[in-house]
Amino acid sequence: MRLGMVIDLKRCIGCYGCQVSCKAENGTRPGTTYARLIKREWGTFPDVQRLSIPLLCNHCSEPPCVDVCPTGASQKQESDGIVFVDGDVCVGCRACVMACPYGARYYQDREHTYFDSEGPNEYETTRYLEHVRGVVEKCDFCRHRLAEGLDPACVTNCMSKARIFGDLDDPDSEVSRLVREEGGFPLTPEAGTEPNVFYLPPDRPPTNDRQVTP
Amino acid sequence: MSSPDTLDIRRRDLRSEFRPQREWIDGRGLLIVVAHFFSGIGAGAWLFSVWLDIEAGMVLGLVCVAILSGIAHLLFLGRFERFWRMLKRPHKSWISRGIWGIGIFSVGALGTLGAPPAWRDTMVAVSLFGCAIILLYEGFVYAASKGIPFWSTKLLPVLYITYGLRGGAALLLILAAAGSTAFDVHAMEAIKLWVVVSTGVLVLLYLTTASRSGGAARHSVRQLVAGRLSPAFYGGTVVVGILVPIALAAAREFGATGLFLLAAIGVSSLIGDFYVKYCVVKAGTYVTLSGAGLGTNANEPTRSRRFREAG
Amino acid sequence: MIENQAQEDVWIPSACSMCYNQCGILAHRKEGTLVKIEGNPDSPYGRGRLCARGLAGIQMLYDPHRVDRPLRRTNPVKGIGVDPEWEEISWDEALDLVTAKLAEVREEDPRQLFFSGTVVSLSPLMHMLGTFLPAYGTPNAFVSDGHQCGNAEHILARTLHASVTTNPDARYCDYLLLFGCQAGLGTYYALTTMAQDVADARVRGMKLVVVDPYLSQAAEKADEWVPIRPGSDGAMACAMLNLLVNEYGMYDAEYIGHHTDGPYLVGEDGRYVRDADGKPLVWDTGPGAARPFDAAGRPTESAALTGCYSVDGKRCKPVFQRLKEQVAKWTPEEAEKVSTVPAERIRHIAREFGEAARIGQTIEIEGHELPHRPAAALYFKGAHGHDNAWPTSLAIELLNEVVGASNVPGGLMGTNPVCFGHPETGFPRWNPTAGAEGLLEAGALLHNDIDGPTPGWPPPPESAELPNLRDLIGWPITTCFTPAALNDDENFGGAVRPKMLINYGSNLLMSAARPETCFEAFKDCFVVCSSLFSDETAEALADIVLPDASYLERLDPVPNFARHHHPVGLGDWGHQIRQPAVEPLHERRHFCEVLLEIERRLGINEVANLMTNFAYGIPPEFALEPDEEYSWEEISDRIYKGWFGSERGLAWFQKNGVLSWPKQVEEVYWKPFSEARAPLYNEWLVRYGEDVRRIAHEKGMSGIDTKGFLPLPDWFPCQAHKPVPGFDLQAIYYRVPWHTFSMTYENPWLDEISRGEPYSYYVCINAATARAKGIHDEDPIVIEGTDGARIEGRARLTEGVHPEVVAIANNGGHWARGMPLAKGTGVFFNQLQKMDLEHTDLVSLSMDCDARVRVYPAEGG
Ligand SMILES: Nc1nc2c(c(=O)[nH]1)N[C@H]1C(S)=C(S)[C@@H](COP(=O)(O)OP(=O)(O)OC[C@H]3O[C@@H](n4cnc5c(=O)[nH]c(N)nc54)[C@H](O)[C@@H]3O)O[C@H]1N2
Ligand SMILES: Nc1nc2c(c(=O)[nH]1)N[C@H]1C(S)=C(S)[C@@H](COP(=O)(O)OP(=O)(O)OC[C@H]3O[C@@H](n4cnc5c(=O)[nH]c(N)nc54)[C@H](O)[C@@H]3O)O[C@H]1N2
Ligand code: SF4
Ligand code: SF4
Ligand code: SF4
Ligand code: SF4
Ligand code: SF4
Ligand SMILES: [Mo]
C-alpha cells in the first residue's frame, strides 16, 4: 500500500481551512503548520492569475529526510509508505529540515504558546502534552485517525472537497484514477523525491457530469 | 502579539518565494556553525601538528574538536541527552558519520597524546582517520540537504576541507606568535598563503557555479554578493578572510616582521573561516516549489487565453 | 448542567458562531477541556466541513484576554484610545447599576434607550430585538452595519424572492456571475455548504465570472476575472440588460409574462394603470383591450409585453417595454466609459449569460418538469456598498429575472422562502403569497413566523421623532444610520436623544464608519456593552461591560433563527441547537439569561413572556404564561416542543444536535408552483418617494434627496467618483475567508494565517500605479481621503488590483488594550468612511463603502 493524497487546485479556494484543521487535529504549537499554503501570482494586469497551493508532507517514496537522519527517528513505514518522526528517538539535529525540499518539517526553538506572555491556556496545557519537546515534527497523514478508519483531518474538513486520500498502489482507487485521468502532477519532481501527494491542474477541462453532493 | 521573535520571522518567510533556512543559523541554530568551525580548524590543526610534530598544536586541535565543537554540537541539539542515538546510522547519514568521526578522532588523539609509545602509530592513524571524516563530514552534511540547492553541490565539501586546513594552519600561526613552541613557521606560512589563495579561488568558483544553477541557489548568491548578507560576506569572508591575510603575508614577504603580524594573519584567517561558514549557511534558501500546473513557466496566464478563445 | 467533568470524553453537537452562518459543529470535550471542534456531518449547515474560523473558535473560548467579570469604568473621561481604567465588579453590583439606569430612563421616556448589535452573535441579538426591547418600549434599535452589509440586496431579495437574501442553485447552475461577492468561495451566506456545491459545479464545468476591482479569493478561482472601477457595477449590468432585451432578444417572455409584472401597464405618471377595483391592468392582445392582470380565462397568455397603448385616453406601456426603453441608453460603450470594462467584454459576458440560461428548456427533477435556467447573477457587499446601491442592485437582479433564472433549477434562489415544516408537525412553516395586486408577499422574513404575516410596504411613519431614517424609510431590514442622525441636528434636530445605549456583540466604533461618528453620538450616554472583549467600543464608550458567554459556552435554541443562512437548493432542512461545550468560564454569563434577570428586576417580565411567544411563534399549548418565571432552558424547551412536538424538546436536541428532514421540490423550486409575481417595476418606490419628499419637506429635512428612488435600473456616480484634483485612487475593502470583520484579529490561529500570507495585512496596490508614485513593495504608505482622513499601512505591490484602486482586507488595525493580540495587526480601513446623508443611498440606507483617496509613501518610512 502506498498512501497518498490528491489536491485539486481547481477546487481549492485558498481558505486555509486545512492549515487550521491540521492544527486543531494535532494540537501543534505556534509556527508549526504541517498543512500550510503558499500563494503565487503571475502575469500582468489585467491578465493575471493567482493560485493558492496547499502544502503538506509528500510522504515521498525516496525521502531525503529519512536518508539524512542520524538516529533513525525519521522513518518510512513499510506497510503504507507514511513518513513519520519517532519523537522518542529524535535528537533535534534538524538535518531532515534541511533535506526536505517542501518545508514540511517543523522544529520549535522554544516552547512557544499562542498567548505568549500569558503562558499556555487551558487548551494548550492539555494539547501540548501530546508533543515531545526539542524534536522535529511533521505530518503523518493523521495515523491516529487512519487507525480509527477515518480520513486525515484536512481531507475530511476541506470545504471545497479539494483533498482526496487513498492508496496510490491500487489502480482503482479514487486518487489513482484522478492522477491518471486528470493530469495529476507532483511538486518539484526534479528533486527526485518521488512525492506521493499529487496536484490536479487548476485549469483543466470540465467533467461535464452533474455530480450531486452526497 | 508576542515579542518579534524568530517565530514571527519564520511566518513572514512564508510570504516570499525564496524561503531562507533558519534552523541552522537563527537562535541556537548558530551553534552548528560554531561547532563546524571548531571541528574544522581543530581537525586542520591536528593534521598539521602531527605532520610538523607540534605537541601544543595537537592539544589545541583536540580541545577544538572534542571539547569546543563537541559542546557546541551538544548544545545545538534539541535533545542532547539522546546524542548517542546519532551514532546509529553512519551507513546513511553524514551527521552520524561526523559524530563517529569526532569520536574516533578524540580516541585517537587522546591515545596519541597519552597512550604508551607502542600504541602511538596506531593512535595517530586512528586520529587521522577521524580527522578525515570530520573534514569531509561538514561539507557533506550541507551537500546532502536536498532542500537547499545552494548547498547541494560537490564543491561545498571541497570548500569546507580547504577552509578546515586553512583554519588549522591559522591556529598554528597564532600558536607560533604566542611563542609557545618552535617550529618551521616559514613552512607553515607558505602553506598558509597557498591555502588562502586557493580558498579565494574556491569561493569564487563555488559562487559562480551556484549562481548558474538558477532559482534558489542564485538567490542565495545574490543575498551574499548584493543582498542582506553582503556586509558579512564582503567584510568577513572577502576582506578579513582573504584580502587581509594575503596582504599581511605579502607584507612579511617584503620584510615586515614581528609576532604581531603572524598573529594577525592567523586571527584574520580564523575570522574569515568562521564567516565563510556563517555566510554559506545563512544564505541557504529552500528550493522554489515547481510543478507542471503551477504556472511557474507559463508566459501567459490561462485565464486570458480562455477569454480570447471565448470572446 | 455539565456534571462530572473529570473522566469524561464527549462530543457535543452544537452550532458555530464565528460568523453569522451557524454551521453545525461537534465539540470534543475531554476532562472538562474543549480539545477540538469539528464539523457535524449530520447538519445541513456545512455537512461536516468548517472554515478556518469555525475550527479556531477554541482559541476565542480560552483567550486569556476575554472579559471574565463585569467591568466598571473608573476613569470619568471617555474617549477613543483613552484608558477606561476598568475595575472588576460583581454581577450583583453590575446588574444593580444597569437596572437602576434602565428604570430611570424608562420612567422618563423608554425611547431614550438605544440598542445596537450586529450579526456575529445572531440568535441572542434576535431575542433582544424580539422580546426585551418591545417589552421595554423602545423602537430605537439599530442593527449596526446593515448600511455596509446587505441592505440593498435584502430589499430586493424580499421583493423578488420573498427572502432575506439569495444564493445560486449551484448544483444545476452552469454560469455564475458574481458582482463584488464571494459566494461559495470564501465568504457570504452558507459558506461551508456553498463552497462544496460551487466547487462541484466548477469541476463539472460551471463557468465562473467574477466582477471585482480586486483579485479576490473568488476572482482567483474565476474562469474570468473582470476588474471593474468600484461603484460602477450598475452601469455594466444595465448594459448587459440592454444587450439581452434589446439587442440579442435573449429574454424569457413566458416567465416575464407569468411570473413578473412585465405585462402590467404603467402610465406616464409612473403608476400602474388600475381598474376601478384597484387591480393593475394588462393589455390583452386577443381582444385588443386592457384587462385586469388576473381576469378569468388566463388573459396573460396573450398579454402584451411590448408596445404602447392607450387606456381611457391615457398613454401607457407594459412594464417590460418600459424596462427596454430605460436601459436602451446603456450601450456597452457607454458602460465602458464608466466602468473601464471593455465594451466587447460586456457583450461577450451578456451573450454567454443569455445562452447559458437555456431559455425555453426544461428539466425533470424528482418527477417534476421544471424550467431549466442554469445561469445566475449574484452580487453583494462590493457591488452594493455604494450610495448608488439601489439602482445597481436592481440592475443586477433583473439580469436573472429577464432570463427567467429566478427560483428555478440552476438560477438565483431566494434563501428558502418556502417551507412546509417538519413532516410530523408542519412547523415551522412559511410560504409567500400573491397580494391583491398579484405581487409576491413574503411568508416570513427573519423570524420563523408560523403563519407568516404579509408585510407589504409599510407607509412612512410620518414622524421625525426617532433619530433614524427608519422613521422615514421603513423597509431596510437593518440600518446603522442612527449615530449619523444624532450628529446631524440640521435634519434630525427634533429627534429623541439617547440617554442610554446597550451594545451587544458589535464593535460599533470600528465597524460602522470612522470611529468618531459613533463616539460623538453616544459619548454622553450611559453605555452598557455586552461583549467578549474590551474592544474599541467598550474602551471608548462603555460605563459597564458585561462579560458574555461565547457561543461555545451557551444555549441558543434557535441558532439558525434566520433561515437565510440555510443552504439553498435540494437537500435537507435542518434545525439545530447551540449548547455549551463547556460551562461558562470564570463569571461569564449568557446575555439572554442576563436579560431574563433584568426583565424581572424591571418588572417587564410578563410582557416579555408574551413577546417571546410571539417572536418564536410558540403555539398555545407550549406558550409561556405571562406571570410565570422561566429559566432559559425552560423557554428553549417550549420553543422546541412548540415546533417539533413534545417528544422533541430541549433534551432531544441536546442529545441529537440537529433535526433534519428532506426538502421537497415544490419548496425549493417554488416559482413555477406560485401565482405570485416578482415586480420588475418598483411602483411602490414611486409612491414612497413622493411621501418621503413630502414629509421631509414638512419637517424641514433639507438633506433628504429622493433622486435615487428609481423604479427601474439605472446608474449614477457614487460619492467616491466625484473628481478631486490630486486624489486619483479609490480605496475599497474586501474579505478574506479566514477572518470575520474585526473580531478574529484577536484569534491567534487566524492571525497566524495572515502573518504567513502575502496580502491580508497589507494595502494592495497595483504595481504600475505604485511605481509611478515611487512606492516599493513593503513600503509604509499613507492613504488619505479627500476630507483629510488618513490611514497607514504597508504597500503590497500586486498585479491583482485595478490600477485606480487600493484594496484593504477586512477590518484590522485594532488599538484597544483589551485585544492585545489584534492590536496593530492589519490595516484599519474605516477611518476613511464617512457616514452621513450624502454618503447614503436613501432607498436602502446603504453606505458608500469606498473613498476617493491619494496614496503616498509615509514619512520616515
Ligand atoms: N469569511 C468571512 N465570511 C463572511 C464574513 C466575514 O467577515 N468573513 N462576513 C459575513 C457578512 S456579515 C457579510 S455581509 C458577507 C459579505 O460577503 P461578500 O459580499 O461576498 O463580501 P466580500 O467577501 O467582502 O466581497 C466583496 C467583494 O467586493 C469587492 N468590491 C469592493 N468594491 C466593489 C465594487 O464597487 N464593485 C465590485 N464589483 N466589487 C467590489 C471586494 O474587493 C470584495 O472582493 O460575508 C459573510 N461571510
Ligand atoms: N473595514 C470594514 N468594515 C466593515 C466590514 C468589513 O469587512 N471591513 N464589514 C461590514 C459588515 S458587512 C458588517 S456585518 C459589520 C460587522 O461589524 P461588527 O459586528 O461590529 O463586527 P466586529 O468588528 O467583528 O465586532 C464584533 C464584536 O462582537 C463581539 N462578539 C463576538 N461574539 C460575541 C458573543 O457571542 N457575544 C457578545 N456579547 N459579543 C460577541 C466581538 O468580541 C466583537 O467585539 O462590519 C461592517 N464594517
Ligand atoms: S481547506 Fe481545502 S479549499 Fe481550503 S485551502 Fe485547504 S485545500 Fe484549499
Ligand atoms: S515531503 Fe519532505 S518530509 Fe515529507 S517525505 Fe518528502 S522529503 Fe520527507
Ligand atoms: S531532527 Fe530528528 S528526525 Fe530530523 S534528522 Fe535529526 S534526529 Fe532525525
Ligand atoms: S494529513 Fe493530518 S497531519 Fe497531515 S496535513 Fe493533513 S491534517 Fe495535518
Ligand atoms: S462559515 Fe461561519 S459559522 Fe460556518 S464554520 Fe465558518 S465561521 Fe463558523
Ligand atoms: Mo455583513
Side-chain angles (χ1 to χ4, degrees), chain A residues 40 47 49 66 68-69 71 87 89-91 93-94 97-99 103 107 109-110 116 133 185 188 190 203, chain B residues 2 5-6 10 19 21 24 76 78-79 82 85 88-89 93 147 286-287 289-290 293 296 301-302 304 308:
Chain A
R40 280 276 173 75
D47 287 340
Q49 189 161 357
V66 171
V68 300
C69 177
T71 61
V89 173
C90 173
V91 283
C93 72
R94 287 101 100 193
V97 179
M98 303 298 144
Y107 175 79
D109 56 350
R110 63 183 182 86
D116 229 3
R133 182 195 52 82
F185 62 91
T188 321
E190 60 273 21
D203 54 354
Chain B
S2 53
D5 51 26
T6 50
R10 266 183 254 155
R19 200 165 50 88
Q21 77 83 8
W24 277 359
F76 161 76
R79 305 294 300 229
R82 297 179 182 166
R85 290 189 185 273
K88 283 204 320 215
R89 295 187 78 243
S93 151
Y286 284 101
V287 58
L289 296 181
S290 64
T296 24
T302 3
S304 67
R308 262 171 235 141

Side-chain angles (χ1 to χ4, degrees), chain A:
Chain A
M1 188 159 61
R2 180 164 54 104
L3 290 177
M5 198 183 289
V6 166
I7 298 182
D8 186 343
L9 294 177
K10 186 166 184 176
R11 284 178 176 271
C12 170
I13 56 172
C15 71
Y16 283 86
C18 40
Q19 176 168 323
V20 182
S21 60
C22 178
K23 180 156 285 295
E25 177 68 30
N26 295 297
T28 51
R29 287 186 188 263
T32 297
T33 43
Y34 304 159
R36 65 184 174 96
L37 202 96
I38 55 168
K39 293 195 176 185
R40 280 276 173 75
E41 181 182 306
W42 67 93
T44 350
F45 180 89
D47 287 340
V48 44
Q49 189 161 357
R50 215 178 255 176
L51 194 58
S52 301
I53 309 160
L55 303 174
L56 74 162
C57 171
N58 290 290
H59 297 274
C60 304
S61 291
E62 297 293 334
C65 55
V66 171
D67 283 348
V68 300
C69 177
T71 61
S74 267
Q75 300 166 40
K76 187 162 175 73
Q77 202 153 276
E78 283 283 314
S79 54
D80 51 15
I82 289 180
V83 174
F84 69 98
V85 178
D86 184 340
D88 294 330
V89 173
C90 173
V91 283
C93 72
R94 287 101 100 193
C96 52
V97 179
M98 303 298 144
C100 169
Y102 307 97
R105 296 179 158 252
Y106 293 84
Y107 175 79
Q108 295 277 343
D109 56 350
R110 63 183 182 86
E111 300 196 302
H112 294 282
T113 56
Y114 274 105
F115 299 92
D116 229 3
S117 51
E118 317 280 336
N121 61 21
E122 294 92 318
Y123 169 82
E124 294 179 294
T125 310
T126 314
R127 293 304 306 272
Y128 295 165
L129 289 178
E130 300 164 17
H131 297 267
V132 183
R133 182 195 52 82
V135 302
V136 160
E137 298 182 300
K138 67 180 285 295
C139 156
D140 64 356
F141 269 163
C142 290
R143 282 190 298 167
H144 59 290
R145 286 177 64 97
L146 302 183
E148 288 175 51
L150 300 168
D151 269 346
C154 57
V155 172
T156 307
N157 186 70
C158 171
M159 64 172 166
S160 289
K161 303 194 288 186
R163 300 164 91 97
I164 303 100
F165 186 74
D167 179 8
L168 286 162
D169 273 345
D170 171 5
D172 297 331
S173 68
E174 178 75 353
V175 277
S176 296
R177 189 190 66 75
L178 286 169
V179 171
R180 201 169 51 234
E181 293 172 13
E182 304 285 341
F185 62 91
L187 286 187
T188 321
E190 60 273 21
T193 56
E194 311 253 325
N196 286 311
V197 172
F198 288 85
Y199 292 79
L200 304 186
D203 54 354
R204 57 186 206 283
T207 60
N208 287 321
D209 51 333
R210 208 172 279 285
Q211 306 175 10
V212 171
T213 315

Side-chain angles (χ1 to χ4, degrees), chain C residues 490-621:
Chain C
E490 217 172 291
N491 289 291
F492 301 92
V496 177
R497 310 293 303 181
K499 278 238 167 107
M500 180 169 181
L501 171 73
I502 298 180
N503 178 52
Y504 172 78
S506 157
N507 196 355
L508 188 58
L509 226 69
M510 260 187 97
S511 52
R514 64 182 49 157
E516 290 78 9
T517 316
C518 294
F519 179 74
E520 283 304 316
F522 298 108
K523 67 176 191 298
D524 300 325
C525 294
F526 185 84
V527 178
V528 180
C529 280
S530 163
S531 190
L532 306 182
F533 297 96
S534 167
D535 57 18
E536 285 68 18
T537 309
E539 208 176 88
L541 281 172
D543 293 276
I544 302 282
V545 181
L546 301 178
D548 200 8
S550 70
Y551 75 97
L552 292 167
E553 305 166 276
R554 70 173 188 244
L555 170 68
D556 287 335
V558 197
N560 44 304
F561 211 129
R563 66 208 146 76
H564 46 296
H565 303 99
H566 202 296
V568 302
L570 290 169
D572 283 340
W573 290 108
H575 191 95
Q576 309 184 108
I577 185 175
R578 171 173 300 118
Q579 56 181 328
V582 295
E583 281 292 277
L585 302 174
H586 309 281
E587 289 178 31
R588 303 167 186 171
R589 254 194 224 179
H590 186 356
F591 186 62
C592 290
E593 291 177 2
V594 174
L595 286 181
L596 290 179
E597 165 96 31
I598 294 178
E599 282 160 8
R600 281 194 283 270
R601 288 184 181 218
L602 278 178
I604 58 171
N605 47 331
E606 298 196 0
V607 196
N609 282 353
L610 295 175
M611 296 310 304
T612 303
N613 293 336
F614 178 75
Y616 294 88
I618 308 178
E621 67 261 47

Side-chain angles (χ1 to χ4, degrees), chain C residues 616-743:
Chain C
Y616 294 88
I618 308 178
E621 67 261 47
F622 297 103
L624 311 186
E625 300 297 332
D627 47 0
E628 294 263 334
E629 284 190 8
Y630 298 94
S631 69
W632 184 237
E633 280 80 13
E634 285 164 340
I635 294 174
S636 304
D637 189 48
R638 282 164 184 260
I639 295 171
Y640 282 131
K641 287 181 172 154
W643 289 7
F644 302 115
S646 49
E647 67 285 8
R648 289 192 204 84
L650 178 62
W652 189 94
F653 275 88
Q654 280 169 331
K655 179 157 170 282
N656 297 284
V658 52
L659 175 66
S660 57
W661 65 96
K663 286 182 175 178
Q664 299 178 32
V665 171
E666 297 93 322
E667 292 173 311
V668 176
Y669 304 117
W670 56 277
K671 204 54 172 288
F673 303 96
S674 171
E675 291 284 295
R677 293 161 185 268
L680 305 180
Y681 185 82
N682 289 272
E683 194 222 21
W684 60 276
L685 204 49
V686 177
R687 280 183 271 130
Y688 225 104
E690 283 169 11
D691 289 343
V692 166
R693 261 193 307 280
R694 176 178 49 77
I695 299 167
H697 179 74
E698 282 166 11
K699 308 278 179 190
M701 303 166 85
S702 57
I704 301 288
D705 178 356
T706 55
K707 76 168 186 325
F709 284 52
L710 303 170
L712 287 170
D714 202 354
W715 182 85
F716 50 80
C718 64
Q719 291 300 318
H721 291 139
K722 280 189 185 162
V724 180
F727 290 78
D728 52 342
L729 301 179
Q730 255 173 288
I732 59 165
Y733 67 75
Y734 65 95
R735 280 170 172 66
V736 292
W738 59 92
H739 275 302
T740 304
F741 325 123
S742 84
M743 71 173 200

Side-chain angles (χ1 to χ4, degrees), chain B residues 244-287:
Chain B
V244 171
I246 292 180
L248 294 178
R252 269 179 70 89
E253 286 301 309
F254 289 104
T257 47
L259 290 178
F260 170 74
L261 209 54
L262 213 56
I265 297 179
V267 170
S268 64
S269 298
L270 282 186
I271 295 176
D273 192 2
F274 178 80
Y275 263 103
V276 84
K277 289 180 174 167
Y278 176 84
C279 285
V280 166
V281 177
K282 179 103 180 166
T285 305
Y286 284 101
V287 58

